[in-house]
Amino acid sequence: MRKVAIIGIGQTKVDEHWNRTIRDLAGEAIFAALQDAGREEFEALFSGNMLSGLIDQQNNLGAVIADWIGFKGESIKIESACSSGGAAFRAGIMAIASGELDSAMVVGVEKMTDAAPTEVTSALATAADSDWELEQGISFVGLNALIMRRYMHEYGWKHEDFAPFSLNAHANATHNPNARLPYPITLDQFNNAHMVATPINLMDASPIGDGAAAVLIVPLENVRDNKGAVQITGSGAATDTISVHSRKAPLFLQAAYLSAQRAYSEANITPQQIDFFELHDAFSIMSALSLEACGFAERGQGPRLGLDNEITPKGGRIPICTRGGLKARGHPVGATGIYQIVETVQQLRGECGETQVAAAKIGMTQNIGGSGASILTHIIQII
């Protein structure tokens, strides 16, 4: 298998893009990635997207985006709920590593804000088990609230103990021009925010948005002298039961653990060597669970990292969400996994300004689909 590198990145601002279409957003990110790489073409296009058929009434999205940008090669859409971006990225990696392709563009794109909130909530809920969860009328935030409530009961945490995850994300987003919510929040704002599904309030939950991010990947052997290139050294994927109640350990992200272990093994590193972690903080409880599953905290002790100031870009043991994460950069679901990749490349290139992690050489991303059913982990490092 060949080694794979990223040579170009592009992204749009995550926002309410009322006057733009899903194809327009995808095209902007793709052309930005080409410009960044100094290239004009690629061999195949992999698009990560969850909701185009449900919200935009547009299936066959691969052909739609290809047509818009004037591309006539292979182009497919990959759907894996909120981990669609990560799944598309892994598909591109395998195509390059196998020798089937010598270049691939991977774009994650989502257009969510044109629909009514109730319609979006219903569409997102399709990432859960339609027979055993959706049928009972529970929303996606409701499922995460049940997990968080049980976690607090089992391990004795209070709601405010999760505040550092959100405060860190918002503090970092103030320095990200592409963030959806680029402003800081206080502990009082976190504690007094409107309750959505007890114990999850507005400050625990990530906002939806419209946006697209793209990366151009090629064989590493072709670009070793490219100063903007970084190497993909680990890629792991795993699944768990789609319904939370079917899991033997509902408070442990087994798929996160397995995908991370596979990525660590492929990269031949340990968690202690990771310089920063772009995790999937769709809800604050997921930050704690991801940190535990990936070996950065003991089970039930994820919030301790935030309380001990171990997650910040300046001096933290394991900085997370360095550009705002899902919580403040925003969560255009099918695009989120690629935003994480783009932001990791920015860190490794030293382009993150006030939230730059000093001497960052190895970054990790983790993209979660559903409430932990489909999880992809990637490790990227300086060549």
Side-chain angles (χ1 to χ4, degrees):
M1 299 289 280
R2 298 188 297 183
K3 297 179 180 179
V4 184
I6 301 169
I7 61 169
I9 58 174
Q11 62 183 311
T12 72
K13 180 178 175 60
V14 180
D15 209 339
E16 297 183 20
H17 293 290
W18 297 104
N19 61 340
R20 305 188 64 184
T21 64
I22 192 169
R23 67 187 78 189
D24 182 28
L25 291 170
E28 179 182 337
I30 289 168
F31 288 129
L34 284 171
Q35 183 176 18
D36 182 59
R39 301 245 182 148
E40 295 184 354
E41 57 186 24
F42 49 87
E43 293 179 330
L45 175 62
F46 298 87
S47 299
N49 173 271
M50 176 185 176
L51 300 172
S52 68
L54 292 170
I55 289 182
D56 305 293
Q57 289 76 54
Q58 182 65 72
N59 282 321
N60 203 11
L61 189 64
V64 170
I65 296 173
D67 180 40
W68 182 250
I69 64 173
F71 176 67
K72 301 302 180 184
E74 177 183 3
S75 181
I76 60 171
K77 166 185 168 177
I78 294 176
E79 185 276 317
S80 182
C82 301
S83 63
S84 296
F89 185 61
R90 181 166 166 79
I93 291 171
M94 291 190 288
I96 300 295
S98 69
E100 180 69 19
L101 298 173
D102 284 326
S103 62
M105 181 68 72
V106 185
V107 64
V109 62
E110 207 73 74
K111 187 75 169 68
M112 305 175 71
T113 64
D114 287 354
T118 53
E119 184 180 350
V120 176
T121 297
S122 295
L124 289 171
T126 62
D129 190 317
S130 63
D131 288 334
W132 298 106
E133 292 176 327
L134 199 59
E135 183 71 17
Q136 308 305 315
I138 193 168
S139 66
F140 202 60
V141 65
L143 280 172
N144 281 270
L146 290 173
I147 294 170
M148 187 172 182
R149 179 183 284 274
R150 187 65 192 179
Y151 184 93
M152 292 166 62
H153 171 76
E154 289 284 346
Y155 298 113
W157 296 106
K158 302 187 296 289
H159 176 255
E160 67 181 47
D161 294 328
F162 293 84
F165 294 126
S166 296
L167 270 63
N168 172 68
H170 277 273
N172 295 339
T174 62
H175 305 288
N176 181 0
N178 294 303
R180 177 91 157 90
L181 303 176
Y183 52 79
I185 62 171
T186 66
L187 179 58
D188 283 345
Q189 287 175 312
F190 178 87
N191 289 333
N192 297 317
H194 176 74
M195 192 60 65
V196 181
T198 307
I200 291 176
N201 69 22
L202 278 176
M203 293 301 148
D204 288 297
S206 57
I208 65 166
D210 308 329
V215 294
L216 181 62
I217 58 176
V218 298
L220 174 64
E221 61 198 39
N222 296 346
V223 293
R224 285 190 178 275
D225 296 329
N226 185 328
K227 293 183 179 179
V230 296
Q231 183 181 354
I232 305 160
T233 55
S235 177
T239 59
D240 200 347
T241 64
I242 189 168
S243 59
V244 175
H245 68 263
S246 295
R247 297 174 193 168
K248 293 182 179 179
L251 300 183
F252 186 73
L253 293 177
Q254 181 71 6
Y257 169 78
L258 291 173
S259 66
Q261 290 301 313
R262 290 164 185 169
Y264 290 145
S265 177
E266 185 175 314
N268 193 29
I269 63 171
T270 66
Q272 289 69 36
Q273 293 172 268
I274 300 295
D275 294 314
F276 62 96
F277 183 21
E278 298 300 334
L279 55 73
H280 191 99
D281 59 327
F283 301 96
S284 56
I285 181 61
M286 284 294 137
S287 296
L289 295 182
S290 293
L291 288 165
E292 293 168 21
C294 295
F296 300 112
E298 297 293 328
R299 288 199 193 188
Q301 296 302 309
R304 176 56 54 197
L305 292 180
L307 294 169
D308 289 347
N309 206 37
E310 296 279 18
I311 61 172
T312 61
K314 301 300 183 183
R317 175 164 63 88
I318 180 64
I320 66 171
C321 304
T322 64
R323 306 295 282 161
L326 285 65
K327 175 63 190 78
R329 178 242 294 127
H331 185 26
V333 291
T336 288
I338 305 301
Y339 273 99
Q340 293 175 320
I341 300 295
V342 167
E343 291 160 357
T344 298
V345 174
Q346 289 180 316
Q347 277 287 352
L348 296 175
R349 289 179 176 178
E351 298 174 350
C352 293
E354 291 297 317
T355 62
Q356 181 65 45
V357 176
K361 295 181 180 180
I362 305 176
M364 186 166 84
T365 71
Q366 190 165 85
N367 195 194
I368 299 177
S371 52
S374 304
I375 302 183
L376 298 104
T377 304
H378 290 98
I379 296 171
I380 304 171
Q381 63 186 73
I382 293 174
I383 297 172

